[in-house]
């Protein structure tokens, strides 16, 4: 787990976990057995073996996940996470071609903000659409975000631990064979209240729009 820069635990923080899978098809066929003597025709000896069908090639709009720590403009990062290092921190991934995540977090005065930008590139549009549907099904209470990617969904939740509120917004976007997942949350450690729903939702959607625009610039030619 990533250590937080202060002693308060945010156990309710829901970081997007993504389970990525790439799909392929293997197709093969065997040749016909040689005909027996009694069934051999004058042309059997010259008959070619059956040819192996070519494997279907899947065209992917996005071949690899872009660098997530440069997904947002510096001014956007500072507006969403005041006091955060502009470079962000990329989270280690077992395969950076298919999944990359960057995090920013900072405590300024008593206000805390955390932002994650995650890219996940899958083997086909169908795989991405299936994963998108599974993710939004598990996050009830939100709504569609029109005009963002092929489909987009936003949800905001409020949690409380030991009297400290945290409000978290999640935006999941599908663009062709890729998913963009934004997680944005905040707390006020003086009032112990959370930022308003509109503030968190607007911030998460703003980050999602910039992250999708960055992804689209990497579109395969």
């Amino acid at each position: 787990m990533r250590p937080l820069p202060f002693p308060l635990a945010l156990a309710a923080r829901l970081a997007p976990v993504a389970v990525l899978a790439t799909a392929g098809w293997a197709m093969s066929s065997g040749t016909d057995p040689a005909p027996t003597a009694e069934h051999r025709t004058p042309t059997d000896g010259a008959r070619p073996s059956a040819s192996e069908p070519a494997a279907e090639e899947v065209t992917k709009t996005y071949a690899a996940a872009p660098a997530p720590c440069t997904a947002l403009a510096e001014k956007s990062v500072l507006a969403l996470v005041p006091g955060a290092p502009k470079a962000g921190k990329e989270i280690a991934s077992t395969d950076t071609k298919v999944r990359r995540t960057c995090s920013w977090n900072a405590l300024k005065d008593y206000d805390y903000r955390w932002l994650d930008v995650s890219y996940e590139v899958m083997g086909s549009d169908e795989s991405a659409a299936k994963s998108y549907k599974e993710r939004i099904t598990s996050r009830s209470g939100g709504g569609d975000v029109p005009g963002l990617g092929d489909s987009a969904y936003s949800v905001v939740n409020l949690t409380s631990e030991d009297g400290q509120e945290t409000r978290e917004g999640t935006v999941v976007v599908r663009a062709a064979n890729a998913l963009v997942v934004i997680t944005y949350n905040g707390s006020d450690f003086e009032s112990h209240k959370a930022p308003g729903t509109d503030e968190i939702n607007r911030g998460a959607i703003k980050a999602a729009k910039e992250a999708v625009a960055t992804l689209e610039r990497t579109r395969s030619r």
Side-chain angles (χ1 to χ4, degrees):
M1 293 181 62
R2 297 167 297 206
L4 294 178
F6 51 89
L8 292 174
L10 293 178
R13 182 178 177 276
L14 305 173
V17 176
V19 178
L20 302 179
T22 56
W25 292 264
M27 302 174 66
S28 62
S29 65
T31 59
D32 294 335
T36 60
E38 59 269 28
H39 292 96
R40 185 182 297 275
T41 65
T43 58
D44 278 336
R47 187 181 61 184
S49 60
S51 61
E52 183 174 334
E56 181 182 353
E57 183 178 349
V58 178
T59 300
K60 296 190 293 184
T61 303
Y62 301 105
C69 291
T70 59
L72 307 185
E74 180 181 345
K75 65 179 182 179
S76 297
V77 171
L78 294 179
L80 294 170
V81 190
K86 63 180 181 180
K89 180 180 180 182
E90 184 160 358
I91 307 306
S93 172
T94 56
D95 189 345
T96 55
K97 284 195 67 175
V98 299
R99 188 176 198 280
R100 298 181 73 174
T101 299
C102 189
S103 288
W104 295 264
N105 63 82
L107 178 67
K108 185 174 183 181
D109 297 327
Y110 293 96
D111 286 328
Y112 175 73
R113 295 292 184 275
W114 183 301
L115 173 67
D116 280 353
V117 174
S118 178
Y119 291 109
E120 302 172 21
V121 174
M122 301 186 180
S124 67
D125 290 12
E126 291 74 15
S127 295
K130 180 180 178 181
S131 181
Y132 172 83
K133 184 176 180 180
E134 290 172 348
R135 290 163 189 251
I136 68 172
T137 299
S138 66
R139 294 176 169 90
S140 61
D144 294 335
V145 182
L148 184 56
D150 292 307
S151 49
Y153 180 84
S154 175
V155 63
V156 177
N157 291 304
L158 175 67
T159 59
S160 180
E161 182 179 355
D162 297 330
Q164 176 62 59
E165 293 182 349
T166 299
R167 199 178 304 276
E168 179 169 288
T170 302
V171 179
V172 183
V173 184
R174 182 183 77 83
N177 64 307
L179 294 183
V180 179
V181 181
I182 304 297
T183 306
Y184 180 51
N185 68 37
S187 299
D188 186 316
F189 293 119
E190 182 176 39
S191 67
H192 301 291
K193 299 295 183 181
T197 298
D198 287 345
E199 177 184 345
I200 293 298
N201 192 47
R202 285 196 303 267
I205 292 174
K206 174 181 173 59
K209 288 180 177 179
E210 285 196 42
V212 170
T214 297
L215 174 70
E216 289 175 344
R217 289 194 287 271
T218 70
R219 182 184 293 266
S220 301
R221 302 300 180 185

